Amino acid sequence: MPDPSPSHALPTFVDLWSSTLSWQPSPQQQEQFERLYQEILTGNRILNLTRITEPEAFWEKHLWDSLCGIQPLLASPDASLRMIDIGTGGGFPGIPAAIALPQSSLTLLDATQKKVRFLQDLAITLSLPHVTGVSDRAEALGHHPSHRASYDWALLRAVAAAPVCAEYALPLLKLNGTAILYRGQWTPAEADALNRALEILGGRLIATTPITTPLSQSQHHYLYILKIAPTPERFPRAIGVPKQRPL
Ligand code: SAM
């Protein structure tokens, strides 16, 4: 166990949560965030989970950012949704989302098996029985009958260029499901490339929300993509192809 010295305690920022997201963690959720932080610091000793380890940066870049993207869902935390975090890495944005939305089921997908094993143990430690880890490639899972067209929401942060993320996410979404892409800067050229891919995949970009982060004042963009038509069976293409030859 790490030594939770005062300099490594996670800030609570109760007022910032409510002023920026109109949401506040319960005492139990605050404890889960703190435990998540300590477990990530411990896991980082053997796994490359994150370079963001300072308490305030962890709060902003991992907790706050994860929940800012799902802000439309925070107003109805009792809804029972099926969600997937594609390329979850150290569990972001999926684990904070699972803490905030305890009634929803959440699949954490990553190609790296040892990260997924760590996350499965972490879900037990944090008492998150609604979280499942899957070690696979998004290109493969998108053709799996128990995953294809079966999620209400897909979350993707720092995984690939937007058209590649769309090819990973759309096949996994139900009709009328939504993918949330967490981006930093966002340009009209990127929007054009994404829209071209969405025409092929059966999606529509319905909102692009620019946000200035509360501590470091960085620019983030959250993209909301609605699945408006079934994705053709040939997508996602074979492993590696979406990245090598984006739509
Ligand atoms: N989403 C996390 C975050 O924002 O902190 C992790 C981002 S990390 C830069 C990208 C992760 O996506 C890696 O853990 C990698 O294994 C995973 N990944 C990339 N391509 C993938 C694919 N095609 N299928 C599944 N996982 C993938």
Side-chain angles (χ1 to χ4, degrees):
M1 283 294 289
D3 172 20
S5 58
S7 63
H8 280 91
L10 196 60
T12 52
F13 290 135
V14 174
D15 294 343
L16 266 189
W17 281 123
S18 39
S19 63
T20 56
L21 301 188
S22 308
W23 179 86
Q24 271 191 17
S26 67
Q28 186 196 345
Q29 287 166 327
Q30 185 55 45
E31 266 175 41
Q32 288 170 307
F33 286 156
E34 177 64 40
R35 189 74 194 267
L36 165 64
Y37 178 48
Q38 299 304 335
E39 294 294 327
I40 292 280
L41 293 182
T42 306
N44 245 358
R45 292 176 188 163
I46 44 169
L47 292 171
N48 185 17
L49 297 170
T50 182
R51 278 176 295 178
I52 299 160
T53 54
E54 287 308 308
E56 294 204 351
F58 188 94
W59 181 88
E60 181 181 70
K61 296 191 167 65
H62 282 327
L63 301 184
W64 184 89
D65 181 47
S66 293
L67 296 196
C68 190
I70 61 158
Q71 195 184 10
L73 302 176
L74 295 176
S76 322
D78 293 334
S80 173
L81 304 165
R82 195 165 182 218
M83 306 178 68
I84 184 165
D85 179 7
I86 300 172
T88 187
F92 304 102
I95 294 270
I99 290 172
L101 303 172
Q103 305 303 326
S104 293
S105 72
L106 185 93
T107 300
L108 298 172
L109 172 68
D110 203 277
T112 308
Q113 201 172 36
K114 57 189 179 194
K115 285 186 190 168
V116 172
R117 273 203 216 107
F118 168 82
L119 295 174
Q120 283 167 328
D121 291 343
L122 181 62
I124 294 168
T125 305
L126 297 178
S127 304
L128 299 171
H130 53 299
V131 170
T132 313
V134 175
S135 169
D136 207 340
R137 299 280 309 211
E139 298 94 315
L141 206 75
H143 290 286
H144 196 291
S146 56
H147 292 274
R148 190 177 178 92
S150 64
Y151 291 93
D152 300 294
W153 293 83
L155 314 177
L156 302 99
R157 190 180 84 162
V159 177
V164 181
C165 289
E167 186 167 348
Y168 292 162
L170 268 292
L172 290 163
L173 288 174
K174 295 175 187 169
L175 210 53
N176 293 317
T178 307
I180 307 177
L181 272 50
Y182 291 65
R183 313 299 301 184
Q185 294 300 323
W186 184 244
T187 63
E190 285 177 289
D192 288 347
L194 175 61
N195 283 325
R196 279 194 300 275
L198 292 180
E199 264 181 44
I200 301 168
L201 295 165
R204 182 187 294 147
L205 181 59
I206 52 166
T208 302
T209 307
I211 295 275
T212 304
T213 64
L215 300 181
S216 61
Q217 311 290 305
S218 316
Q219 276 296 306
H220 286 197
H221 291 80
Y222 303 96
L223 275 50
Y224 298 87
I225 297 169
L226 185 68
K227 180 162 172 172
I228 56 168
T231 302
E233 277 301 322
R234 65 182 187 281
F235 299 110
R237 290 168 290 167
I239 287 173
V241 176
K243 236 178 197 169
Q244 285 154 14
R245 287 190 281 114
L247 290 171

